Amino acid sequence: MDLTCNFSIWVLFVFFVFQSFCYGFYLPGSYPHKYVVGDALSVKVNSLTSIDTEMPFSYYSLPFCKPQEGVKDSAENLGELLMGDRIENSPYRFKMYTNESDIFLCKTDPLSKDNFDLLKKRIDEMYQVNLILDNLPAIRYTKKDGYLLRWTGFPVGVKYQDAYYVFNHLKFKVLVHKYEETNVARVMGTGDAVDVIPTKASEGSDVPGYMVVGFEVVPCSVMHNVDLVKDLKIYGKYPSQIKCDSNIVSMPIKEGQPIVFTYEVNFDMSDIKWPSRWDAYLKMEGSKVHWFSILNSLMVITFLAGIVLVIFLRTVRRDLTRYEELDKEAQAQMNEELSRWKLVVGDVFRAPSNPGLLCIVVGDGVQILGMAVVTILFAALGFMSPASRGTLIRGMLFFYMILGVPGGYVAVRLWRTIGCGDLKGWISVAWRVACFFPGIAFLILTTLNFLLWGSHSTGAIPFSLFVILLLLWFCISVPLTLFGGYLGAKAPHIEFPVRTNQIPREIPAQKYPSWLLVLGAGTLPFGTLFIELFFIMSSIWMGRVYYVFGFLLIVLILLVVVCAEVSLVLTYMHLCVEDWKWWWKSFFASGSVAIYIFLYSINYLIFDLRSLSGPVSATLYLGYSLVMVIAIMLATGTVGFLSSFWFVHYLFSSVKLD
C-alpha cells in the first residue's frame, strides 16, 4: 500500500510539474512584460539599414534628435554585434495606455553642408529607420494595387521632383492586450468541471496590466514653423494641430536650415495574444507559392532519389548474387562483363593523393554538417525565435566549437585508416582541422571588415570582438578539436578487407572525362534546395525574417540522403570502368553542388539585387557568399565521401576473393 501511495504521489508531482511548464514556460528572450497604465515605455533605435548597400550605419550618424540623458548602448550579445545591430536608446517616450498628440521632440541645428549631403545620400540609398518597442520592431503598412504590404521600419526620407523630403513626424500606434497571469496550475476534474489551484499571488497582481502586442508607425513629412518652437522644451505641446498624411510630403531639407521633429502615439486594445505578436512579422508575401514549391520539390526529388536507390541496389545485388553462384572458371569469364569493379581489388584502397588534406576537409565537413543539423533542429523547435536577436548566430558558433570533438575524431581516425594504423602526424592533422575552415573564413571576413571599417559602417566588427573571437577559436575550438583527435588516435583504425598491390594498376582510357560526371553530379543535390535557397537569400539580403526552419530541416535531411546516393552511384560507376581513384571523386561528386550554389548567388546578385550599388556592396555580397559556398562544399562533400567509403568497404568485404 505504501508503495502504491508513493507511486501515486510521484505521478501527481510529475503531472503538476509538467502542467506548470506547459503554462509557464517561455523561450529565452521572450518573457511577457506587464505594464500598468502610466508606466514609461522606452523606444530604442537600431542601425539604419538598406537593401541598396547592405551596409548598416548608426542611427545617430544622421542629424536626428538625441535623448536628454545622452546616447547609451543597450546590452548587446555576440550575435547582434556580428549581425551589425547597434541598439541604442532614443528620445521617444510613451506612457502605457495614454494617448498623446502633437508632441515636440527637438529642433536640430542648422544643417551643415556635410549633414545635408549625408541626408541626401542616405535618402538616395533608401535607408530605413528601425525602431524597437518592448523588443518589437516598428512595422509599417502600405497599399499597392489593392494589396497590403508590410515593411519593417520606415524610410529616412524621399526624393520627389529633385527635392529631398525628410520624415520628421511619426504617428505611432501601439497595440496592447490585457495581461494574463500564467502562475496557475490547471487540473482536469471529473465531468466538465475544471479546478483551478492558484499559486502564490504576485505582488500588485490586482492592478490591471497590459502587454505590448503590436508596434506600428506611419511616417509623415510635415512643414513645421521653426519660430513656434523657439521656447518649447522636449515633450512640450506643439502650438498647432499636426495633420499627418503619409501620401503628402511637405518638409524639404535645405542647407543651413534646421529640422523640427514631432510625434504622436495612440494605444489600441487588440485581440492578438502575446505568443502571437510576431505573426505580423513572419507573414511572407506569396506564402502559398513558398509552401507549394517546397512540397513539390521534396516530392520530385524524393521520387528521383528513390528510383536511383532502387536501381542501384538491384544492380549491385545482382552482381554479387550472380558472381557468388558461378564456379571459378565461369567467374573468370564473367569478370570482364559483369564485375569489372572486382578487377581493381588490389588498388581500391590505395592511399589517395594528398591524404592529409582529404582528412582535414572531411573533419571540417563533419563539424560544419553537425553544426547545421543541430542549429536548424533547435531553431525548428523554437529555441531561436526572432524575439531573441543574435541567438541563431550565437548558437551556430557554440555548436561549431563543441562539434570540434567529432571533427577531430573523424579526421584523425581516417588518417590512421589510410596509414594502416600509423599514428605519425595525427597531431598535425588535428591542428589543421581546427585551423583550415576557420582560417579561410577569418581571412575573408577580416578583408571584408576592413571595407566596412573604411565605410564607417556598424557592420564592422569592433577590435575587441576580434579579440574575443580569436580567444574562442584558440582557447575553446582548437583544444576541443585536439581532444577529438586524441580520441581518434586512441580508437582502432578501420581495417581494409583486401590487400593493396605494390604496383598500381593502369586505369583504362575512358570515353568521357570522369571529372565531367563528378561536376554534373551536383545538379541533383542542387535541385533539392534551390527553392529554399531563394527564401534564405531573400531573408539575408532583402531584410525579411526567415522562420520556416521545419521545412529547412526536412530539406537538409533530404539533401544529405541525395548527396549520399549520388556519390554512391558515381563511385560504383568509376569502379565498373576500373577507375580506382574514387577518394576525391566521391568527395566532389556531392560537394560540386557548391559550384551551382555560387553560380546561383551570382544570378541572384544580377537579377534580384539589381539595386545593389557600389563595388563595396558587391564585394561584401560575394565575400559572404564565398564563405557560405565553402562551408556547403565541405559539408556535402563529407557526406558523399563517408557514404562511398562505407559502400566500398562493404562491397569488397562481402565477396569471395581467391
Side-chain angles (χ1 to χ4, degrees):
M1 186 67 180
D2 291 338
L3 291 176
T4 305
C5 291
N6 290 335
F7 178 76
S8 302
I9 291 172
W10 274 107
V11 170
L12 287 174
F13 174 76
V14 172
F15 181 77
F16 279 127
V17 171
F18 177 76
Q19 288 290 337
S20 65
F21 268 99
C22 289
Y23 287 94
F25 174 72
Y26 295 98
L27 297 177
S30 59
Y31 293 95
H33 196 289
K34 175 185 176 181
Y35 300 95
V36 298
V37 176
D39 276 356
L41 300 176
S42 299
V43 178
K44 298 180 180 180
V45 293
N46 203 346
S47 300
L48 304 173
T49 56
S50 170
I51 61 174
D52 189 56
T53 66
E54 301 297 345
M55 290 188 294
F57 290 96
S58 171
Y59 173 83
Y60 293 107
S61 63
L62 295 181
F64 290 141
C65 301
K66 296 183 178 180
Q68 289 178 306
E69 65 273 18
V71 178
K72 298 178 181 178
D73 291 333
S74 297
E76 294 169 320
N77 57 56
L78 183 62
E80 287 178 310
L81 291 172
L82 291 175
M83 291 296 294
D85 289 340
R86 295 296 184 272
I87 300 177
E88 300 164 312
N89 60 335
S90 81
Y92 295 101
R93 295 289 185 271
F94 306 156
K95 294 180 181 178
M96 172 55 74
Y97 219 72
T98 303
N99 296 336
E100 296 178 288
S101 60
D102 308 329
I103 302 299
F104 169 74
L105 199 60
C106 79
K107 181 188 73 172
T108 67
D109 296 330
L111 291 178
S112 63
K113 185 179 185 306
D114 291 339
N115 284 335
F116 176 68
D117 292 339
L118 185 60
L119 263 176
K120 291 195 301 181
K121 183 179 180 181
R122 295 292 181 257
I123 292 173
D124 283 334
E125 293 172 340
M126 299 185 296
Y127 269 87
Q128 303 283 316
V129 178
N130 299 292
L131 304 179
I132 301 172
L133 175 65
D134 194 47
N135 208 30
L136 278 179
I139 195 170
R140 175 171 57 98
Y141 292 95
T142 59
K143 287 186 178 180
K144 184 177 181 181
D145 300 330
Y147 291 96
L148 189 66
L149 303 179
R150 305 171 186 84
W151 306 91
T152 301
F154 61 91
V156 172
V158 64
K159 183 181 179 182
Y160 181 70
Q161 293 182 350
D162 297 329
Y164 291 86
Y165 297 85
V166 68
F167 291 118
N168 61 333
H169 179 81
L170 300 181
K171 183 178 181 180
F172 295 105
K173 181 180 179 181
V174 182
L175 304 179
V176 296
H177 188 82
K178 280 191 176 181
Y179 186 83
E180 298 174 355
E181 293 287 350
T182 58
N183 57 343
V184 295
R186 302 176 183 269
V187 183
M188 293 298 294
T190 57
D192 297 329
V194 177
D195 297 329
V196 179
I197 304 176
T199 61
K200 183 179 179 180
S202 59
E203 184 178 352
S205 60
D206 55 334
V207 179
Y210 300 92
M211 300 175 292
V212 177
V213 295
F215 183 38
E216 302 173 10
V217 62
V218 177
C220 299
S221 179
V222 179
M223 176 62 74
H224 291 307
N225 189 335
V226 178
D227 296 330
L228 293 178
V229 298
K230 284 183 178 180
D231 301 325
L232 278 181
K233 295 183 179 180
I234 189 171
Y235 309 127
K237 186 77 172 179
Y238 191 78
S240 61
Q241 185 178 3
I242 302 173
K243 294 182 179 180
C244 180
D245 188 347
S246 59
N247 297 318
I248 300 175
V249 290
S250 56
M251 180 56 202
I253 57 174
K254 297 180 181 178
E255 185 178 348
Q257 292 188 3
I259 303 175
V260 176
F261 288 90
T262 55
Y263 73 95
E264 61 184 282
V265 58
N266 291 299
F267 288 82
D268 288 346
M269 287 294 297
S270 174
D271 293 332
I272 300 174
K273 294 187 177 181
W274 188 87
S276 304
R277 67 178 191 159
W278 275 89
D279 289 356
Y281 303 87
L282 302 182
K283 290 180 180 177
M284 281 182 159
E285 299 301 326
S287 59
K288 292 183 179 179
V289 176
H290 174 83
W291 298 111
F292 176 77
S293 299
I294 292 179
L295 182 60
N296 181 66
S297 177
L298 292 175
M299 293 176 63
V300 171
I301 296 302
T302 303
F303 179 71
L304 292 176
I307 292 178
V308 171
L309 184 61
V310 169
I311 294 176
F312 174 65
L313 289 179
R314 289 186 60 185
T315 302
V316 175
R317 179 167 296 182
R318 182 193 62 193
D319 284 6
L320 291 174
T321 302
R322 294 180 61 184
Y323 187 84
E324 294 292 343
E325 291 176 351
L326 298 175
D327 54 27
K328 293 182 179 180
E329 185 176 347
Q331 286 178 4
Q333 297 176 357
M334 292 295 293
N335 269 336
E336 288 292 327
E337 301 176 7
L338 185 62
S339 302
R340 299 187 66 181
W341 50 265
K342 184 177 178 293
L343 299 178
V344 297
V345 64
D347 298 276
V348 69
F349 289 108
R350 187 178 300 279
S353 58
N354 299 314
L357 180 60
L358 179 63
C359 297
I360 292 166
V361 295
V362 169
D364 278 329
V366 168
Q367 197 171 355
I368 295 171
L369 181 64
M371 175 203 68
V373 172
V374 177
T375 303
I376 295 174
L377 178 62
F378 272 85
L381 295 175
F383 285 92
M384 297 180 181
S385 68
S388 183
R389 291 176 179 82
T391 304
L392 191 65
I393 299 296
R394 281 185 297 166
M396 292 173 64
L397 288 174
F398 174 77
F399 293 131
Y400 181 82
M401 291 187 297
I402 297 299
L403 290 168
V405 176
Y409 174 85
V410 171
V412 171
R413 194 174 183 194
L414 179 60
W415 170 257
R416 292 190 61 217
T417 298
I418 294 176
C420 298
D422 189 6
L423 281 171
K424 184 179 179 181
W426 74 266
I427 297 179
S428 175
V429 170
W431 260 105
R432 286 183 285 175
V433 169
C435 298
F436 181 73
F437 174 73
I440 294 175
F442 192 80
L443 179 62
I444 295 175
L445 296 180
T446 301
T447 304
L448 299 180
N449 205 59
F450 279 117
L451 296 177
L452 292 171
W453 267 337
S455 303
H456 304 286
S457 170
T458 59
I461 301 175
F463 179 76
S464 58
L465 186 57
F466 256 102
V467 176
I468 293 174
L469 291 175
L470 287 173
L471 290 176
L472 291 175
W473 181 7
F474 287 102
C475 296
I476 298 179
S477 181
V478 170
L480 288 177
T481 307
L482 291 174
F483 176 70
Y486 172 78
L487 297 179
K490 291 296 182 182
H493 69 280
I494 302 173
E495 296 282 351
F496 293 141
V498 294
R499 289 178 297 180
T500 301
N501 296 333
Q502 292 184 354
I503 301 176
R505 179 185 178 86
E506 184 179 354
I507 300 175
Q510 309 297 327
K511 294 182 179 180
Y512 305 100
S514 59
W515 285 102
L516 187 63
L517 292 175
V518 169
L519 295 178
T523 55
L524 190 57
F526 179 73
T528 66
L529 54 78
F530 82 94
I531 294 178
E532 197 67 22
L533 187 63
F534 169 79
F535 289 97
I536 295 174
M537 300 283 281
S538 298
S539 67
I540 295 175
W541 300 106
M542 302 296 286
R544 300 171 184 171
V545 179
Y546 187 86
Y547 67 98
V548 285
F549 289 102
F551 269 99
L552 183 60
L553 181 61
I554 296 174
V555 171
L556 179 61
I557 294 173
L558 187 58
L559 175 65
V560 170
V561 173
V562 173
C563 285
E565 293 173 347
V566 166
S567 184
L568 289 179
V569 172
L570 263 293
T571 299
Y572 180 71
M573 291 174 61
H574 285 123
L575 294 179
C576 285
V577 294
E578 302 178 40
D579 185 355
W580 47 267
K581 296 182 178 180
W582 59 272
W583 299 78
W584 280 107
K585 292 173 184 176
S586 65
F587 182 88
F588 286 112
S590 53
S592 61
V593 66
I595 298 175
Y596 300 98
I597 294 177
F598 189 70
L599 293 176
Y600 179 83
S601 300
I602 296 176
N603 174 80
Y604 189 86
L605 173 64
I606 297 174
F607 295 101
D608 293 276
L609 294 178
R610 291 187 297 269
S611 62
L612 198 65
S613 61
V616 175
S617 300
T619 303
L620 289 173
Y621 174 85
L622 293 175
Y624 290 129
S625 298
L626 184 60
V627 173
M628 177 187 69
V629 164
I630 293 174
I632 292 175
M633 182 192 69
L634 294 175
T636 54
T638 297
V639 172
F641 170 78
L642 293 179
S643 59
S644 293
F645 183 86
W646 169 84
F647 164 71
V648 173
H649 190 278
Y650 174 79
L651 182 63
F652 283 90
S653 61
S654 301
V655 297
K656 292 186 298 184
L657 298 172
D658 298 327

